[in-house]
Amino acid sequence: MISADVASQSFAITDGVILILMLVISMCIGFYHGYANRKTLKTEAEYLMGGRNMSVVPVGMSILASTLSAIGLMGVQTEMYLYGSTFAFSFFPFLVTALVFNKYILPIFYSLNITSMYHYLEKRFDRRVRLFGSISFLILSTLYMPILLYVPSLSLNQVTGTNVNITSAILVSIVVLYTCVGGFRATVWTDVFQTVAMFGAIIVVLIKGTVEISDEMGFEGIFRSTYDRDRYEFPTFNIDPTIRHSFWSITFGGVGYCGYIFCNQNVVQRYLSLPSIEKVHRAAWLSVGIFVTIYFLSIYGGSLLLATFNDCDPKMAGLIREHDQLIPFFVLLISRNLPGLAGIFIGGMFCAALSSMSTFLNSMAAVVLEDFFKPLSRKDLSMRAKNWIMRGVVVVFGLLCVPLTAIAEKSNTIMQLTNSFEGVTSGSVLGIFILGIFFPTINGSCALVGGIAGLILMGWISFSAQTAIAAGDIVFETKPLSHEGCPDLFNITVNLNETSLEAERSYVFPLFRISYLFYIPLGIVTTVTVAFLMRYLTGGNKPGDVDATLISRLVHSRDTDVNEIARSQDIIEEKIDLMPKDERTLSRVKITK
């Protein structure tokens, strides 16, 4: 229930002190590792990979921090509030994808002892495919990082009114500074602190929110309110691809999206920093376990939001501009008698953003150095040149994020925007890795043409859809929201677009209406299909042409059988050719039978 005095709540001095303290601790950790490892940091192996002797727990927590940013923490809860629990079922494809990746794909990358995962593409295909993967990663990272900045900046804007661009600039300065100074170890160990901070922030907020709401409606009332508002539901089995979350979009989209989470430079680089494959597997399952825990806590957070605002939606009441501000507004509401709670929460969101951004920047430095400067340099780069390149990449791409935060402000929801951007390049690149690891007969030209086709198609669909969303031509129907319990002093506004969906949708090309969860699977299917079409038209590799260490063990036995059959057929043909002419035809007929 929202009371009339809610508008008077503010961000106290205690909150500000806690927030600043969290940021200072992050910087100090980075500076400490920069100083403690100042001698070895001059080598690229230490700056980019931590000397490849990192420990399981910090790496596992760093993997979690790099994949679960403030976008995930706030996006899942807002998703539950607006659209219901159907998105939660992506948990099942997530576990299946994690199992397949850790068992069949990760060992291949680890055995190659590489820094950039796109180096695999050159070994398996050629340099053109490697550059395609690297450029795609840089494009996605450049588009994604501004959204990472926007989410916590929006949270602070809600509670203090601080300009989003000013907050973004401050965050960029902090993360660029400690990433430049401390390198890989600094990013990993700040990730550890930041993971603890964001996990602690979630727990504190959920406990406090549960106590507040339970006093009013009882603990069971939280779930009853969610049920009454039609938020608990199974995904529909309707095959309509324009349904935002159906069983099919969640299943196939969940596999595609989770495949991207595991098979990307940010995560693989951390796995490769461990000294053994056994430790790699332990770190992988540690990050999966913590991820699942936080994920379901966030879903419960969505139920808390619904119980709190069940009869007065804050956006309808004019208390927030966008539903992405629901979480910080909720925190502000429940922190009236607990000074520092808002500071803990905003600090946790800042830490989540910093950890993801530092991971991206360090990974981009690795990709630019390994995939562009080293191969294109006519002579070996000096260590001084490498240091300038690695730190220069961090500074340039970090500063570029600030003006690009305007992209996120035009989004319908942050969760959808991030998945849409990821779908542009991730589907085609993931498709190429699938071709390389599981289909040995596909060569570099086939893979490259397929990847380009997937990139063009998904870029066209994604950006056209985002343009239509920003213009209001595509509007997604939310679950029922109420303003009946809002105090009279609030200016109640209702979005008329939500009541005229069919009229709006008629102006949009049908392909742009498909669920954003289909973006990555569609990119994969397009890439693989076009690659096999090119193989049919131009030919591909012969069985046995590809190094066995570059393909999954799932196809080793199959290809071995094919090779043995081929060799046997060649021997038989040679023997038949030595026979008298009148016996050759009869022998071939018998062999055919």
Side-chain angles (χ1 to χ4, degrees):
M1 177 71 71
I2 298 180
S3 60
D5 65 343
V6 68
S8 64
Q9 305 304 319
S10 62
F11 198 68
I13 295 177
T14 307
D15 300 310
V17 170
I18 293 174
L19 173 59
I20 293 173
L21 183 62
M22 285 185 169
L23 297 179
V24 170
I25 291 175
S26 295
M27 291 181 63
C28 288
I29 292 173
F31 291 152
Y32 167 77
H33 285 282
Y35 178 78
N37 303 288
R38 59 190 181 280
K39 294 182 179 179
T40 57
L41 263 179
K42 295 180 180 179
T43 65
E44 60 181 290
E46 177 65 30
Y47 187 85
L48 297 176
M49 304 294 291
R52 296 184 188 270
N53 63 348
M54 299 295 293
S55 301
V56 170
V57 173
V59 169
M61 296 180 73
S62 179
I63 292 170
L64 171 73
S66 65
T67 55
L68 187 65
S69 64
I71 297 171
L73 294 178
M74 295 176 61
V76 172
Q77 297 177 66
T78 305
E79 181 73 28
M80 178 70 177
Y81 176 83
L82 291 175
Y83 300 105
S85 63
T86 53
F87 188 78
F89 288 85
S90 60
F91 160 75
F92 297 105
F94 174 82
L95 289 183
V96 172
T97 307
L99 179 64
V100 172
F101 177 79
N102 289 327
K103 189 171 184 178
Y104 297 109
I105 298 177
L106 190 53
I108 297 175
F109 291 130
Y110 191 83
S111 66
L112 298 177
N113 195 35
I114 55 180
T115 299
S116 168
M117 66 178 290
Y118 305 106
H119 194 176
Y120 165 84
L121 296 180
E122 181 173 358
K123 289 177 176 290
R124 170 62 179 84
F125 297 116
D126 53 45
R127 179 171 297 280
R128 299 172 303 163
V129 183
R130 177 181 183 177
L131 290 176
F132 176 83
S134 303
I135 293 172
S136 298
F137 170 73
L138 294 176
I139 292 173
L140 173 61
S141 301
T142 303
L143 293 174
Y144 192 86
M145 285 193 298
I147 308 174
L148 294 175
L149 283 175
Y150 175 72
V151 174
S153 300
L154 186 66
S155 299
L156 188 62
N157 171 265
Q158 171 61 34
V159 297
T160 66
T162 306
N163 184 276
V164 169
N165 292 326
I166 293 176
T167 305
S168 298
I170 294 173
L171 289 178
V172 164
S173 301
I174 293 173
V175 72
V176 165
L177 193 58
Y178 77 70
T179 303
C180 280
V181 171
F184 185 84
R185 288 186 188 274
T187 62
V188 168
W189 282 104
T190 51
D191 284 351
V192 172
F193 165 72
Q194 290 158 355
T195 299
V196 172
M198 67 179 179
F199 191 82
I202 291 175
I203 295 296
V204 171
V205 169
L206 292 184
I207 291 175
K208 174 60 175 172
T210 301
V211 171
E212 289 269 337
I213 298 171
S214 296
D215 289 342
E216 181 179 338
M217 61 176 61
F219 182 69
E220 71 282 357
I222 298 173
F223 302 99
R224 185 174 59 251
S225 175
T226 306
Y227 178 80
D228 291 342
R229 289 293 181 180
D230 196 27
R231 293 319 194 263
Y232 290 139
E233 61 179 352
F234 286 94
T236 176
F237 284 87
N238 192 322
I239 62 173
D240 182 0
T242 65
I243 297 175
R244 193 170 180 271
H245 288 163
S246 66
F247 171 82
W248 312 108
S249 65
I250 289 174
T251 300
F252 295 110
V255 169
Y257 177 70
C258 296
Y260 155 73
I261 287 179
F262 294 112
C263 193
N264 76 79
Q265 175 67 24
N266 296 337
V267 173
V268 171
Q269 186 175 339
R270 271 143 184 75
Y271 286 138
L272 300 182
S273 69
L274 292 163
S276 68
I277 190 65
E278 291 77 15
K279 291 188 175 182
V280 168
H281 289 309
R282 278 155 47 192
W285 288 113
L286 173 64
S287 63
V288 168
I290 302 175
F291 183 94
V292 170
T293 302
I294 294 180
Y295 187 76
F296 279 101
L297 286 175
S298 297
I299 293 173
Y300 173 67
S303 294
L304 285 180
L305 290 178
L306 199 62
T308 304
F309 306 124
N310 67 91
D311 59 354
C312 183
D313 177 67
K315 185 179 178 182
M316 289 184 174
L319 296 171
I320 59 175
R321 297 196 314 271
E322 301 295 338
H323 279 118
D324 289 317
Q325 296 175 307
L326 268 174
I327 312 299
F329 180 73
F330 170 74
V331 172
L332 196 64
L333 186 65
I334 65 175
S335 64
R336 287 170 291 181
N337 56 356
L338 185 60
L341 178 60
I344 292 173
F345 173 77
I346 301 298
M349 297 303 101
F350 276 32
C351 285
L354 291 176
S355 62
S356 297
M357 278 202 63
S358 63
T359 298
F360 268 105
L361 292 173
N362 187 261
S363 297
M364 293 171 83
V367 167
V368 170
L369 177 64
E370 295 291 327
D371 296 341
F372 293 92
F373 280 93
K374 275 189 175 182
L376 299 178
S377 178
R378 296 182 179 179
K379 59 181 181 179
D380 291 339
L381 295 170
S382 66
M383 199 61 244
R384 179 182 176 85
K386 292 176 183 177
N387 282 322
W388 275 104
I389 292 169
M390 292 184 294
R391 289 165 173 81
V393 170
V394 172
V395 172
V396 171
F397 281 99
L399 295 178
L400 186 61
C401 293
V402 178
L404 292 179
T405 53
I407 297 174
E409 296 186 65
K410 301 297 183 182
S411 170
N412 183 37
T413 67
I414 293 298
M415 181 70 73
Q416 176 163 320
L417 180 64
T418 55
N419 281 275
S420 299
F421 278 169
E422 287 164 352
V424 176
T425 60
S426 302
S428 57
V429 174
L430 192 54
I432 289 177
F433 276 106
I434 290 173
L435 290 169
I437 293 171
F438 295 105
F439 300 99
T441 59
I442 298 297
N443 61 25
S445 296
C446 298
L448 182 61
V449 173
I452 293 174
L455 180 66
I456 292 174
L457 176 64
M458 298 319 303
W460 174 55
I461 293 174
S462 179
F463 287 111
S464 298
Q466 288 302 315
T467 300
I469 291 172
D473 294 331
I474 295 180
V475 180
F476 298 97
E477 185 177 8
T478 66
K479 292 292 185 178
L481 301 172
S482 174
H483 57 82
E484 296 174 356
C486 296
D488 293 337
L489 60 89
F490 293 144
N491 180 27
I492 307 301
T493 58
V494 179
N495 185 1
L496 295 179
N497 287 330
E498 296 179 359
T499 63
S500 55
L501 292 177
E502 295 302 322
E504 296 289 353
R505 290 178 61 175
S506 63
Y507 295 97
V508 180
F509 185 63
L511 195 58
F512 303 156
R513 303 176 192 159
I514 65 172
S515 170
Y516 68 96
L517 291 178
F518 281 123
Y519 287 0
I520 292 181
L522 184 56
I524 293 173
V525 170
T526 302
T527 299
V528 172
T529 301
V530 172
F532 270 95
L533 180 61
M534 286 295 297
R535 173 178 171 267
Y536 175 77
L537 295 175
T538 63
N541 296 326
K542 295 180 180 179
D545 285 351
V546 179
D547 185 349
T549 61
L550 301 177
I551 58 178
S552 171
R553 60 184 179 176
L554 284 175
V555 297
H556 280 176
S557 59
R558 183 193 68 190
D559 292 334
T560 299
D561 293 341
V562 171
N563 292 336
E564 290 178 353
I565 292 172
R567 284 194 294 270
S568 299
Q569 289 175 338
D570 291 339
I571 293 172
I572 292 172
E573 287 291 337
E574 290 176 1
K575 290 183 177 181
I576 291 177
D577 289 338
L578 296 176
M579 293 179 179
K581 185 175 181 180
D582 57 343
E583 296 181 14
R584 294 177 189 173
T585 302
L586 180 62
S587 298
R588 287 193 170 97
V589 170
K590 289 180 178 180
I591 291 172
T592 302
K593 292 182 178 179

